[in-house]
Amino acid sequence: MKRVVTIQDISCFGKCSITVALPIISAMGIECAIIPTSVLSTHTGGFEGFTFRDLSEDIPKIKEHWKKYKLSFDTIYTGYLGSHSQIDYVIDFANEFKREDNLLFVDPAMGDKGKLYTGFDESFPPHMAKLCAIADIIVPNLTEASFMLGLEYKESYDEEYIKDVLKMLCVLGAKKAVLTGISYEKDTQGAVLYDSDTDEFYSYFASNIPMNFHGTGDTFASVFAGALTRGIEEKEALRLAVDFTVETIKATIPDAENHKYGTKFEKCLPSLIKRLDN
Ligand code: PXL
């Protein structure tokens, strides 16, 4: 059985990070080990007064313990990290557990819609860029990419601009980069992949549902990381991740007023499993 370790926070309520990654990756038939980097009562997107327990100091201790057991992972998948020291500990973990034949998959989850999430300042993205630099593949949205590259965030853009941003992301050091939440036309939204080894681009778009639900980036990243771990070819993995994310958004439309409570992704897991079986 393939094995992923995902390193991100536990938001106890609100369906994002580990509470999304773990069920999705398990449903994809992959073992999912976790390193919780912090525990929050809710995510930071729209809840007042959330708690935050920093577990940074546990990361090196978990690493040392796992080293004794010579544990290995097909994919190291990192998501939201809540402090500068967590980034350093995760880089250290990746340097220890990265092999020639495994995947370091980085979702630099730290902002959306041109703004950084509550709790981050402008010193954070350049630091996250250092983790992205050692990754095999990174999956930022345009906000995260713009902050890491020191570019002004653009609401509207064309294909050329997105291609330039992807190339700049790979200049940071990542081998491959995917920009998520890309929309050239109002009716479609999707993701664009760039492979710096082959200098090739691949785009996949599905219907654009003009609603924002929390945790959809984590859903996309979990399915994409899971599919790559299963050995699914990148283009198909991207299609699977975009399609599943759109399906979860559609399943949540009846509950749109509770967008901060996350999506009803659980309803869609059977169809994800079915698609993997085919
Ligand atoms: O979905 C990304 C995410 C993960 N973890 C926490 C967050 C967010 C986005 O706001 O606040 C704690």
Side-chain angles (χ1 to χ4, degrees):
M1 186 181 259
K2 297 282 188 181
R3 183 189 288 145
V4 168
V5 56
T6 190
I7 311 177
Q8 43 187 331
D9 69 287
I10 294 180
S11 288
C12 298
F13 186 83
K15 287 197 268 188
C16 64
S17 28
I18 286 182
T19 65
V20 166
L22 186 50
I24 289 179
I25 291 168
S26 300
M28 296 178 83
I30 300 162
E31 177 182 346
C32 187
I34 60 169
I35 300 186
T37 51
S38 39
V39 177
L40 295 85
S41 50
T42 63
H43 60 70
T44 64
F47 293 96
E48 294 288 313
F50 54 84
T51 68
F52 183 93
R53 179 167 299 274
D54 190 349
L55 300 177
S56 302
E57 299 309 319
D58 288 39
I59 303 171
K61 293 183 191 157
I62 292 169
K63 182 197 77 176
E64 289 306 318
H65 188 214
W66 286 4
K67 264 170 69 180
K68 290 198 182 115
Y69 283 86
K70 298 191 167 40
L71 299 184
S72 64
F73 303 96
D74 298 291
T75 298
I76 301 162
Y77 156 31
T78 76
Y80 176 100
L81 300 173
S83 67
H84 286 274
S85 64
Q86 288 181 6
I87 299 175
D88 290 331
Y89 284 135
V90 169
I91 291 173
D92 184 47
F93 179 92
N95 284 332
E96 193 69 54
F97 285 88
K98 180 80 190 101
R99 303 183 315 250
E100 275 285 298
D101 62 343
N102 70 357
L103 191 72
L104 177 57
F105 180 108
V106 174
D107 179 4
M110 57 191 167
D112 204 5
K113 307 263 170 297
K115 294 206 172 81
L116 292 173
Y117 295 142
T118 304
F120 294 133
D121 63 27
E122 298 210 356
S123 68
F124 198 74
H127 202 164
M128 183 63 96
K130 295 196 171 141
L131 174 59
C132 289
I134 60 165
D136 294 301
I137 186 156
I138 62 173
V139 293
N141 58 33
L142 193 54
T143 300
E144 292 151 352
S146 303
F147 272 103
M148 286 196 290
L149 294 168
L151 300 172
E152 194 189 321
Y153 173 71
K154 288 192 184 207
E155 285 277 349
S156 60
Y157 41 75
D158 59 14
E159 204 176 327
E160 280 319 298
Y161 181 74
I162 295 303
K163 286 183 169 175
D164 286 347
V165 172
L166 282 161
K167 285 192 169 184
M168 285 189 259
L169 286 169
C170 287
V171 170
L172 286 179
K175 293 193 192 80
K176 295 172 191 175
V178 172
L179 274 171
T180 61
I182 298 303
S183 178
Y184 300 129
E185 294 160 0
K186 73 173 182 3
D187 294 337
T188 59
Q189 191 182 146
V192 187
L193 168 97
Y194 176 63
D195 182 336
S196 66
D197 285 337
T198 61
D199 198 32
E200 276 178 350
F201 293 92
Y202 177 71
S203 309
Y204 181 70
F205 298 96
S207 48
N208 185 18
I209 299 152
M211 289 179 182
N212 289 309
F213 292 104
H214 204 89
T216 51
D218 301 341
T219 301
F220 171 87
S222 301
V223 176
F224 191 42
L228 295 175
T229 305
R230 281 178 64 119
I232 295 174
E233 180 269 326
E234 265 156 25
K235 294 174 184 169
E236 173 57 16
L238 197 75
R239 294 193 287 269
L240 189 69
V242 169
D243 287 344
F244 183 75
T245 307
V246 171
E247 198 184 329
T248 64
I249 293 169
K250 284 184 179 158
T252 319
I253 290 172
D255 199 24
E257 75 271 22
N258 288 324
H259 55 90
K260 68 179 180 224
Y261 291 2
T263 68
K264 311 274 181 238
F265 74 88
E266 300 88 340
K267 287 188 178 177
C268 309
L269 291 175
S271 80
L272 177 64
I273 294 167
K274 209 180 279 170
R275 186 154 158 186
L276 289 171
D277 284 345
N278 286 335

